[in-house]
mmCIF file of all heavy atoms in Angstrom:
data_model
loop_
_atom_site.group_PDB
_atom_site.id
_atom_site.type_symbol
_atom_site.label_atom_id
_atom_site.label_comp_id
_atom_site.label_asym_id
_atom_site.label_seq_id
_atom_site.Cartn_x
_atom_site.Cartn_y
_atom_site.Cartn_z
ATOM 1 N N SER A 1 -16.754 -5.138 -1.933
ATOM 2 C CA SER A 1 -17.389 -4.232 -2.894
ATOM 3 C C SER A 1 -16.973 -4.590 -4.318
ATOM 4 O O SER A 1 -15.802 -4.908 -4.575
ATOM 5 C CB SER A 1 -16.963 -2.785 -2.613
ATOM 6 O OG SER A 1 -17.274 -1.961 -3.710
ATOM 7 N N PRO A 2 -17.902 -4.528 -5.270
ATOM 8 C CA PRO A 2 -17.533 -4.785 -6.667
ATOM 9 C C PRO A 2 -16.516 -3.764 -7.193
ATOM 10 O O PRO A 2 -15.878 -3.993 -8.211
ATOM 11 C CB PRO A 2 -18.864 -4.680 -7.424
ATOM 12 C CG PRO A 2 -19.816 -3.998 -6.499
ATOM 13 C CD PRO A 2 -19.346 -4.284 -5.111
ATOM 14 N N TYR A 3 -16.371 -2.639 -6.479
ATOM 15 C CA TYR A 3 -15.412 -1.609 -6.905
ATOM 16 C C TYR A 3 -14.036 -1.774 -6.246
ATOM 17 O O TYR A 3 -13.111 -1.024 -6.557
ATOM 18 C CB TYR A 3 -15.961 -0.210 -6.602
ATOM 19 C CG TYR A 3 -17.133 0.162 -7.471
ATOM 20 C CD1 TYR A 3 -18.439 -0.042 -7.040
ATOM 21 C CD2 TYR A 3 -16.936 0.698 -8.744
ATOM 22 C CE1 TYR A 3 -19.525 0.289 -7.845
ATOM 23 C CE2 TYR A 3 -18.009 1.033 -9.559
ATOM 24 C CZ TYR A 3 -19.301 0.818 -9.106
ATOM 25 O OH TYR A 3 -20.369 1.149 -9.907
ATOM 26 N N ARG A 4 -13.910 -2.732 -5.330
ATOM 27 C CA ARG A 4 -12.632 -2.899 -4.621
ATOM 28 C C ARG A 4 -11.479 -3.069 -5.609
ATOM 29 O O ARG A 4 -10.413 -2.470 -5.476
ATOM 30 C CB ARG A 4 -12.709 -4.115 -3.681
ATOM 31 C CG ARG A 4 -11.469 -4.312 -2.797
ATOM 32 C CD ARG A 4 -11.421 -3.300 -1.671
ATOM 33 N NE ARG A 4 -10.313 -3.539 -0.755
ATOM 34 C CZ ARG A 4 -10.067 -2.812 0.311
ATOM 35 N NH1 ARG A 4 -10.826 -1.779 0.609
ATOM 36 N NH2 ARG A 4 -9.048 -3.086 1.101
ATOM 37 N N ASP A 5 -11.727 -3.877 -6.626
ATOM 38 C CA ASP A 5 -10.676 -4.211 -7.583
ATOM 39 C C ASP A 5 -10.492 -3.135 -8.664
ATOM 40 O O ASP A 5 -9.742 -3.317 -9.606
ATOM 41 C CB ASP A 5 -11.007 -5.566 -8.233
ATOM 42 C CG ASP A 5 -9.781 -6.171 -8.912
ATOM 43 O OD1 ASP A 5 -8.670 -5.979 -8.396
ATOM 44 O OD2 ASP A 5 -9.941 -6.805 -9.982
ATOM 45 N N TYR A 6 -11.197 -2.003 -8.505
ATOM 46 C CA TYR A 6 -10.950 -0.868 -9.408
ATOM 47 C C TYR A 6 -9.630 -0.179 -9.044
ATOM 48 O O TYR A 6 -9.105 0.613 -9.821
ATOM 49 C CB TYR A 6 -12.084 0.157 -9.294
ATOM 50 C CG TYR A 6 -13.263 -0.082 -10.214
ATOM 51 C CD1 TYR A 6 -13.790 -1.360 -10.416
ATOM 52 C CD2 TYR A 6 -13.873 0.982 -10.873
ATOM 53 C CE1 TYR A 6 -14.887 -1.571 -11.238
ATOM 54 C CE2 TYR A 6 -14.976 0.792 -11.705
ATOM 55 C CZ TYR A 6 -15.478 -0.485 -11.882
ATOM 56 O OH TYR A 6 -16.573 -0.678 -12.701
ATOM 57 N N TYR A 7 -9.131 -0.465 -7.849
ATOM 58 C CA TYR A 7 -7.911 0.170 -7.351
ATOM 59 C C TYR A 7 -6.905 -0.910 -6.952
ATOM 60 O O TYR A 7 -7.203 -2.103 -7.012
ATOM 61 C CB TYR A 7 -8.247 1.112 -6.187
ATOM 62 C CG TYR A 7 -9.150 2.242 -6.631
ATOM 63 C CD1 TYR A 7 -10.543 2.086 -6.602
ATOM 64 C CD2 TYR A 7 -8.630 3.424 -7.115
ATOM 65 C CE1 TYR A 7 -11.381 3.100 -7.050
ATOM 66 C CE2 TYR A 7 -9.467 4.453 -7.555
ATOM 67 C CZ TYR A 7 -10.836 4.276 -7.531
ATOM 68 O OH TYR A 7 -11.658 5.274 -7.975
ATOM 69 N N MET A 8 -5.719 -0.495 -6.522
ATOM 70 C CA MET A 8 -4.631 -1.443 -6.252
ATOM 71 C C MET A 8 -4.384 -1.525 -4.743
ATOM 72 O O MET A 8 -3.852 -0.588 -4.137
ATOM 73 C CB MET A 8 -3.381 -1.015 -7.017
ATOM 74 C CG MET A 8 -3.672 -0.806 -8.499
ATOM 75 S SD MET A 8 -2.220 -0.500 -9.517
ATOM 76 C CE MET A 8 -1.582 -2.156 -9.683
ATOM 77 N N TRP A 9 -4.794 -2.635 -4.158
ATOM 78 C CA TRP A 9 -4.699 -2.845 -2.709
ATOM 79 C C TRP A 9 -3.689 -3.945 -2.410
ATOM 80 O O TRP A 9 -3.593 -4.928 -3.129
ATOM 81 C CB TRP A 9 -6.062 -3.258 -2.149
ATOM 82 C CG TRP A 9 -7.145 -2.252 -2.363
ATOM 83 C CD1 TRP A 9 -7.951 -2.143 -3.455
ATOM 84 C CD2 TRP A 9 -7.549 -1.225 -1.457
ATOM 85 N NE1 TRP A 9 -8.825 -1.102 -3.294
ATOM 86 C CE2 TRP A 9 -8.618 -0.514 -2.073
ATOM 87 C CE3 TRP A 9 -7.127 -0.826 -0.183
ATOM 88 C CZ2 TRP A 9 -9.254 0.559 -1.463
ATOM 89 C CZ3 TRP A 9 -7.764 0.252 0.425
ATOM 90 C CH2 TRP A 9 -8.813 0.931 -0.211
ATOM 91 N N LYS A 10 -2.967 -3.788 -1.302
ATOM 92 C CA LYS A 10 -2.026 -4.836 -0.878
ATOM 93 C C LYS A 10 -1.949 -4.877 0.639
ATOM 94 O O LYS A 10 -2.132 -3.860 1.323
ATOM 95 C CB LYS A 10 -0.630 -4.569 -1.452
ATOM 96 C CG LYS A 10 -0.388 -5.211 -2.830
ATOM 97 C CD LYS A 10 1.084 -5.112 -3.213
ATOM 98 C CE LYS A 10 1.395 -5.912 -4.462
ATOM 99 N NZ LYS A 10 1.369 -7.350 -4.244
ATOM 100 N N LYS A 11 -1.637 -6.054 1.152
ATOM 101 C CA LYS A 11 -1.435 -6.248 2.596
ATOM 102 C C LYS A 11 -0.134 -5.566 3.036
ATOM 103 O O LYS A 11 0.806 -5.441 2.250
ATOM 104 C CB LYS A 11 -1.351 -7.747 2.909
ATOM 105 C CG LYS A 11 -2.713 -8.438 2.919
ATOM 106 C CD LYS A 11 -3.420 -8.126 4.213
ATOM 107 C CE LYS A 11 -4.732 -8.876 4.351
ATOM 108 N NZ LYS A 11 -5.529 -8.240 5.433
ATOM 109 N N PRO A 12 -0.054 -5.178 4.308
ATOM 110 C CA PRO A 12 1.195 -4.585 4.810
ATOM 111 C C PRO A 12 2.326 -5.609 4.832
ATOM 112 O O PRO A 12 2.093 -6.819 4.806
ATOM 113 C CB PRO A 12 0.857 -4.165 6.240
ATOM 114 C CG PRO A 12 -0.619 -4.320 6.393
ATOM 115 C CD PRO A 12 -1.079 -5.273 5.348
ATOM 116 N N LYS A 13 3.559 -5.067 4.878
ATOM 117 C CA LYS A 13 4.728 -5.891 5.218
ATOM 118 C C LYS A 13 5.062 -5.557 6.679
ATOM 119 O O LYS A 13 4.629 -4.522 7.193
ATOM 120 C CB LYS A 13 5.921 -5.495 4.340
ATOM 121 C CG LYS A 13 5.919 -6.107 2.950
ATOM 122 C CD LYS A 13 7.211 -5.705 2.244
ATOM 123 C CE LYS A 13 7.291 -6.328 0.863
ATOM 124 N NZ LYS A 13 8.471 -5.826 0.120
ATOM 125 N N TYR A 14 5.861 -6.414 7.296
ATOM 126 C CA TYR A 14 6.294 -6.137 8.676
ATOM 127 C C TYR A 14 7.801 -6.300 8.759
ATOM 128 O O TYR A 14 8.362 -7.238 8.183
ATOM 129 C CB TYR A 14 5.588 -7.068 9.661
ATOM 130 C CG TYR A 14 4.115 -6.746 9.777
ATOM 131 C CD1 TYR A 14 3.181 -7.346 8.929
ATOM 132 C CD2 TYR A 14 3.660 -5.809 10.701
ATOM 133 C CE1 TYR A 14 1.833 -7.025 8.997
ATOM 134 C CE2 TYR A 14 2.315 -5.480 10.785
ATOM 135 C CZ TYR A 14 1.402 -6.090 9.932
ATOM 136 O OH TYR A 14 0.074 -5.759 10.000
ATOM 137 N N ASP A 15 8.459 -5.383 9.460
ATOM 138 C CA ASP A 15 9.917 -5.485 9.589
ATOM 139 C C ASP A 15 10.282 -6.426 10.743
ATOM 140 O O ASP A 15 9.405 -7.025 11.390
ATOM 141 C CB ASP A 15 10.542 -4.093 9.777
ATOM 142 C CG ASP A 15 10.089 -3.383 11.044
ATOM 143 O OD1 ASP A 15 9.578 -4.062 11.958
ATOM 144 O OD2 ASP A 15 10.260 -2.138 11.120
ATOM 145 N N ALA A 16 11.575 -6.538 11.010
ATOM 146 C CA ALA A 16 12.069 -7.490 12.016
ATOM 147 C C ALA A 16 11.519 -7.198 13.414
ATOM 148 O O ALA A 16 11.387 -8.091 14.253
ATOM 149 C CB ALA A 16 13.602 -7.465 12.041
ATOM 150 N N GLN A 17 11.183 -5.916 13.640
ATOM 151 C CA GLN A 17 10.631 -5.540 14.948
ATOM 152 C C GLN A 17 9.102 -5.675 14.982
ATOM 153 O O GLN A 17 8.458 -5.323 15.971
ATOM 154 C CB GLN A 17 10.996 -4.086 15.286
ATOM 155 C CG GLN A 17 12.460 -3.888 15.674
ATOM 156 C CD GLN A 17 13.395 -3.980 14.488
ATOM 157 O OE1 GLN A 17 13.099 -3.435 13.426
ATOM 158 N NE2 GLN A 17 14.498 -4.694 14.641
ATOM 159 N N GLY A 18 8.534 -6.187 13.903
ATOM 160 C CA GLY A 18 7.078 -6.363 13.838
ATOM 161 C C GLY A 18 6.327 -5.083 13.541
ATOM 162 O O GLY A 18 5.107 -5.005 13.690
ATOM 163 N N LYS A 19 7.075 -4.051 13.064
ATOM 164 C CA LYS A 19 6.423 -2.765 12.752
ATOM 165 C C LYS A 19 5.850 -2.816 11.334
ATOM 166 O O LYS A 19 6.521 -3.286 10.412
ATOM 167 C CB LYS A 19 7.447 -1.638 12.883
ATOM 168 C CG LYS A 19 6.836 -0.252 12.802
ATOM 169 C CD LYS A 19 7.917 0.825 12.914
ATOM 170 C CE LYS A 19 7.320 2.184 12.590
ATOM 171 N NZ LYS A 19 8.346 3.210 12.381
ATOM 172 N N ARG A 20 4.618 -2.337 11.200
ATOM 173 C CA ARG A 20 3.942 -2.361 9.896
ATOM 174 C C ARG A 20 4.659 -1.454 8.894
ATOM 175 O O ARG A 20 5.061 -0.340 9.214
ATOM 176 C CB ARG A 20 2.493 -1.893 10.053
ATOM 177 C CG ARG A 20 1.627 -2.087 8.809
ATOM 178 C CD ARG A 20 0.252 -1.473 8.936
ATOM 179 N NE ARG A 20 0.320 -0.022 8.872
ATOM 180 C CZ ARG A 20 -0.063 0.808 9.824
ATOM 181 N NH1 ARG A 20 -0.555 0.328 10.954
ATOM 182 N NH2 ARG A 20 0.044 2.111 9.684
ATOM 183 N N GLN A 21 4.818 -1.959 7.656
ATOM 184 C CA GLN A 21 5.478 -1.202 6.593
ATOM 185 C C GLN A 21 4.623 -1.240 5.317
ATOM 186 O O GLN A 21 3.834 -2.169 5.125
ATOM 187 C CB GLN A 21 6.858 -1.817 6.280
ATOM 188 C CG GLN A 21 7.826 -1.844 7.436
ATOM 189 C CD GLN A 21 8.317 -0.472 7.816
ATOM 190 O OE1 GLN A 21 8.238 0.465 7.033
ATOM 191 N NE2 GLN A 21 8.804 -0.324 9.052
ATOM 192 N N PRO A 22 4.793 -0.266 4.427
ATOM 193 C CA PRO A 22 4.086 -0.310 3.143
ATOM 194 C C PRO A 22 4.482 -1.560 2.342
ATOM 195 O O PRO A 22 5.548 -2.141 2.576
ATOM 196 C CB PRO A 22 4.543 0.957 2.428
ATOM 197 C CG PRO A 22 5.070 1.855 3.496
ATOM 198 C CD PRO A 22 5.616 0.942 4.559
ATOM 199 N N PRO A 23 3.650 -1.960 1.384
ATOM 200 C CA PRO A 23 3.915 -3.181 0.602
ATOM 201 C C PRO A 23 5.220 -3.158 -0.191
ATOM 202 O O PRO A 23 5.796 -4.202 -0.464
ATOM 203 C CB PRO A 23 2.710 -3.264 -0.344
ATOM 204 C CG PRO A 23 1.630 -2.495 0.355
ATOM 205 C CD PRO A 23 2.326 -1.393 1.104
ATOM 206 N N ASN A 24 5.677 -1.979 -0.623
ATOM 207 C CA ASN A 24 7.007 -1.878 -1.236
ATOM 208 C C ASN A 24 7.610 -0.514 -0.895
ATOM 209 O O ASN A 24 7.004 0.285 -0.165
ATOM 210 C CB ASN A 24 6.959 -2.153 -2.756
ATOM 211 C CG ASN A 24 6.248 -1.055 -3.552
ATOM 212 O OD1 ASN A 24 6.180 0.092 -3.127
ATOM 213 N ND2 ASN A 24 5.723 -1.413 -4.713
ATOM 214 N N ASN A 25 8.813 -0.264 -1.414
ATOM 215 C CA ASN A 25 9.554 0.943 -1.013
ATOM 216 C C ASN A 25 9.401 2.104 -1.989
ATOM 217 O O ASN A 25 10.200 3.033 -1.984
ATOM 218 C CB ASN A 25 11.042 0.608 -0.834
ATOM 219 C CG ASN A 25 11.715 0.248 -2.163
ATOM 220 O OD1 ASN A 25 11.044 0.051 -3.187
ATOM 221 N ND2 ASN A 25 13.039 0.139 -2.146
ATOM 222 N N TRP A 26 8.376 2.071 -2.846
ATOM 223 C CA TRP A 26 8.216 3.150 -3.812
ATOM 224 C C TRP A 26 7.869 4.468 -3.115
ATOM 225 O O TRP A 26 7.059 4.505 -2.183
ATOM 226 C CB TRP A 26 7.088 2.854 -4.788
ATOM 227 C CG TRP A 26 7.311 1.660 -5.667
ATOM 228 C CD1 TRP A 26 8.398 0.826 -5.706
ATOM 229 C CD2 TRP A 26 6.388 1.157 -6.644
ATOM 230 N NE1 TRP A 26 8.215 -0.157 -6.642
ATOM 231 C CE2 TRP A 26 6.990 0.022 -7.236
ATOM 232 C CE3 TRP A 26 5.117 1.554 -7.069
ATOM 233 C CZ2 TRP A 26 6.349 -0.719 -8.229
ATOM 234 C CZ3 TRP A 26 4.488 0.820 -8.063
ATOM 235 C CH2 TRP A 26 5.101 -0.302 -8.647
ATOM 236 N N GLY A 27 8.484 5.536 -3.620
ATOM 237 C CA GLY A 27 8.122 6.861 -3.157
ATOM 238 C C GLY A 27 7.052 7.463 -4.055
ATOM 239 O O GLY A 27 7.033 7.201 -5.261
ATOM 240 N N ALA A 28 6.159 8.248 -3.481
ATOM 241 C CA ALA A 28 5.191 8.995 -4.290
ATOM 242 C C ALA A 28 5.919 10.153 -4.968
ATOM 243 O O ALA A 28 6.972 10.607 -4.505
ATOM 244 C CB ALA A 28 4.059 9.514 -3.417
ATOM 245 N N CYS A 29 5.371 10.631 -6.070
ATOM 246 C CA CYS A 29 6.043 11.673 -6.857
ATOM 247 C C CYS A 29 6.280 12.943 -6.059
ATOM 248 O O CYS A 29 7.200 13.689 -6.349
ATOM 249 C CB CYS A 29 5.235 11.981 -8.111
ATOM 250 S SG CYS A 29 5.226 10.589 -9.270
ATOM 251 N N TRP A 30 5.450 13.212 -5.045
ATOM 252 C CA TRP A 30 5.591 14.453 -4.282
ATOM 253 C C TRP A 30 5.975 14.184 -2.832
ATOM 254 O O TRP A 30 5.592 14.903 -1.923
ATOM 255 C CB TRP A 30 4.295 15.261 -4.361
ATOM 256 C CG TRP A 30 3.962 15.609 -5.767
ATOM 257 C CD1 TRP A 30 4.841 15.883 -6.778
ATOM 258 C CD2 TRP A 30 2.665 15.692 -6.347
ATOM 259 N NE1 TRP A 30 4.176 16.138 -7.929
ATOM 260 C CE2 TRP A 30 2.834 16.031 -7.706
ATOM 261 C CE3 TRP A 30 1.374 15.523 -5.853
ATOM 262 C CZ2 TRP A 30 1.771 16.203 -8.576
ATOM 263 C CZ3 TRP A 30 0.308 15.699 -6.715
ATOM 264 C CH2 TRP A 30 0.507 16.038 -8.057
ATOM 265 N N GLY A 31 6.743 13.114 -2.629
ATOM 266 C CA GLY A 31 7.268 12.846 -1.297
ATOM 267 C C GLY A 31 6.481 11.796 -0.533
ATOM 268 O O GLY A 31 5.294 11.579 -0.782
ATOM 269 N N GLY A 32 7.179 11.112 0.393
ATOM 270 C CA GLY A 32 6.540 10.083 1.207
ATOM 271 C C GLY A 32 6.337 8.788 0.434
ATOM 272 O O GLY A 32 6.801 8.623 -0.701
ATOM 273 N N SER A 33 5.661 7.852 1.075
ATOM 274 C CA SER A 33 5.398 6.551 0.458
ATOM 275 C C SER A 33 4.321 6.663 -0.614
ATOM 276 O O SER A 33 3.446 7.534 -0.554
ATOM 277 C CB SER A 33 4.934 5.562 1.534
ATOM 278 O OG SER A 33 4.460 4.368 0.939
ATOM 279 N N ALA A 34 4.392 5.764 -1.602
ATOM 280 C CA ALA A 34 3.350 5.689 -2.634
ATOM 281 C C ALA A 34 2.155 4.869 -2.147
ATOM 282 O O ALA A 34 1.244 4.576 -2.927
ATOM 283 C CB ALA A 34 3.928 5.088 -3.910
ATOM 284 N N TRP A 35 2.163 4.481 -0.874
ATOM 285 C CA TRP A 35 1.081 3.661 -0.317
ATOM 286 C C TRP A 35 0.432 4.362 0.862
ATOM 287 O O TRP A 35 1.112 4.959 1.695
ATOM 288 C CB TRP A 35 1.640 2.306 0.145
ATOM 289 C CG TRP A 35 2.173 1.483 -0.985
ATOM 290 C CD1 TRP A 35 3.463 1.462 -1.451
ATOM 291 C CD2 TRP A 35 1.438 0.556 -1.784
ATOM 292 N NE1 TRP A 35 3.572 0.582 -2.493
ATOM 293 C CE2 TRP A 35 2.343 0.002 -2.725
ATOM 294 C CE3 TRP A 35 0.102 0.134 -1.803
ATOM 295 C CZ2 TRP A 35 1.958 -0.943 -3.671
ATOM 296 C CZ3 TRP A 35 -0.297 -0.811 -2.738
ATOM 297 C CH2 TRP A 35 0.632 -1.338 -3.663
ATOM 298 N N GLU A 36 -0.883 4.259 0.940
ATOM 299 C CA GLU A 36 -1.635 4.835 2.062
ATOM 300 C C GLU A 36 -2.366 3.702 2.787
ATOM 301 O O GLU A 36 -3.046 2.878 2.156
ATOM 302 C CB GLU A 36 -2.640 5.868 1.539
ATOM 303 C CG GLU A 36 -3.381 6.610 2.621
ATOM 304 C CD GLU A 36 -2.553 7.708 3.284
ATOM 305 O OE1 GLU A 36 -1.358 7.904 2.917
ATOM 306 O OE2 GLU A 36 -3.091 8.369 4.188
#
């Protein structure tokens, strides 16, 4: 979509057990990860 780049998208990271993780460790201002 031409609008895809209107927002900030990133691929997941994976931990040693192969579990999907957010792209970085930032917290959202009201709790939880800053990534959906």
Side-chain angles (χ1 to χ4, degrees):
S1 165
Y3 291 95
R4 185 74 175 181
D5 197 34
Y6 272 43
Y7 297 89
M8 307 187 78
W9 300 87
K10 270 190 171 288
K11 283 282 185 196
K13 279 184 178 174
Y14 291 89
D15 62 19
Q17 286 73 43
K19 189 181 170 193
R20 189 187 72 241
Q21 300 290 340
N24 69 25
N25 67 349
W26 296 359
C29 292
W30 300 326
S33 170
W35 295 92
E36 185 77 359

